[in-house]
Amino acid sequence: MVRRSLVPLAVALALAALASTGRAQETPKPDAAKVSEPAMSRPKKAPVMLRVQITIARYQAERKLASVPYTLLLTTDDRKVRLRMGVEVPIPVTSFSKSDDAKSSAVTSFQYKNVGTNIDCWAEDRSGDGLFQVGLSVENSSIYSSTDARTTGGLNETGLAPDRPMFRTFNVSLNPTLRDGQSIQAVASTDPVTGEVVKIDVTLNVVK
């Protein structure tokens, strides 16, 4: 009777040993943290250096009045390049003051206004196939006080004093996409006072 009771016990122990051996031979599942580690350690793409030329030109009909180029070096890591070029223009301001004998006298002082060009530019290499997206913000201001060059196609200027300066301001933000060596005309806008056409050309080159 003792031998018969030991047989089932031995069989049960053998089955348990086989089950534990099978579990030990199973391939361990990879750790999720270890799987994501190679992706996190991938080297970042090195930024590309670009040369961007912005040309601001003014036309009266087909005649070119002025063309001013600005050349900037920047990289495709979304870092902004800033350019500020201008001059402080004095503007006379007349005020009247009374003296002790109750006579009034004119006193002229000056306020200064910055006139020139402000450019903010940045670039990204999003596609990876040679296309670069350029972010561009341009503000251009100038003095305009001559009545001889004003065209009849502009705004009605009745009441404007001929000896008072006017300040023209042109402001635009755009995001053209260009390839290496490509040049595009990004803006063409008409000045409402003078009838002049303002054009902005953008040229991109990869610095090798």
Side-chain angles (χ1 to χ4, degrees):
M1 295 298 291
V2 174
R3 291 180 179 178
R4 291 180 180 179
S5 62
L6 292 176
V7 171
L9 179 60
V11 172
L13 291 175
L15 292 176
L18 289 174
S20 62
T21 304
R23 286 195 298 269
Q25 292 179 351
E26 290 181 358
T27 303
K29 295 182 180 180
D31 191 358
K34 293 182 179 180
V35 172
S36 61
E37 183 177 352
M40 296 294 292
S41 61
R42 289 176 184 173
K44 294 183 179 179
K45 187 176 180 180
V48 180
M49 180 171 287
L50 305 175
R51 179 182 290 108
V52 178
Q53 184 180 74
I54 302 105
T55 303
I56 304 175
R58 290 183 178 270
Y59 292 81
Q60 187 70 62
E62 299 297 327
R63 184 169 62 95
K64 182 185 289 187
L65 302 177
S67 179
V68 183
Y70 302 90
T71 302
L72 306 172
L73 285 178
L74 63 156
T75 52
T76 56
D77 52 5
D78 205 22
R79 293 189 179 184
K80 185 178 294 186
V81 175
R82 296 164 56 89
L83 183 147
R84 301 290 184 266
M85 181 175 291
V87 62
E88 295 285 338
V89 178
I91 304 172
V93 178
T94 303
S95 60
F96 294 89
S97 61
K98 290 186 178 181
S99 58
D100 296 336
D101 55 359
K103 292 182 179 180
S104 60
S105 59
V107 178
T108 302
S109 60
F110 293 90
Q111 295 180 351
Y112 287 82
K113 179 178 178 61
N114 187 276
V115 175
T117 301
N118 299 331
I119 296 177
D120 293 334
C121 188
W122 60 98
E124 290 184 271
D125 183 8
R126 291 185 174 179
S127 60
D129 59 354
L131 285 173
F132 302 95
Q133 186 175 40
V134 179
L136 188 63
S137 176
V138 179
E139 181 179 357
N140 178 261
S141 58
S142 59
I143 306 173
Y144 188 77
S145 59
S146 173
T147 59
D148 296 334
R150 296 177 187 175
T151 63
T152 57
L155 295 177
N156 183 7
E157 296 177 348
T158 303
L160 292 179
D163 58 341
R164 302 294 173 85
M166 293 189 299
F167 295 92
R168 300 182 298 187
T169 300
F170 180 83
N171 196 326
V172 64
S173 297
L174 46 106
N175 298 89
T177 301
L178 301 95
R179 294 185 181 273
D180 181 22
Q182 186 178 3
S183 179
I184 63 171
Q185 186 176 103
V187 176
S189 180
T190 303
D191 191 309
V193 175
T194 65
E196 296 175 2
V197 178
V198 180
K199 297 181 180 180
I200 296 181
D201 294 332
V202 181
T203 303
L204 182 143
N205 292 101
V206 176
V207 179
K208 299 177 182 180

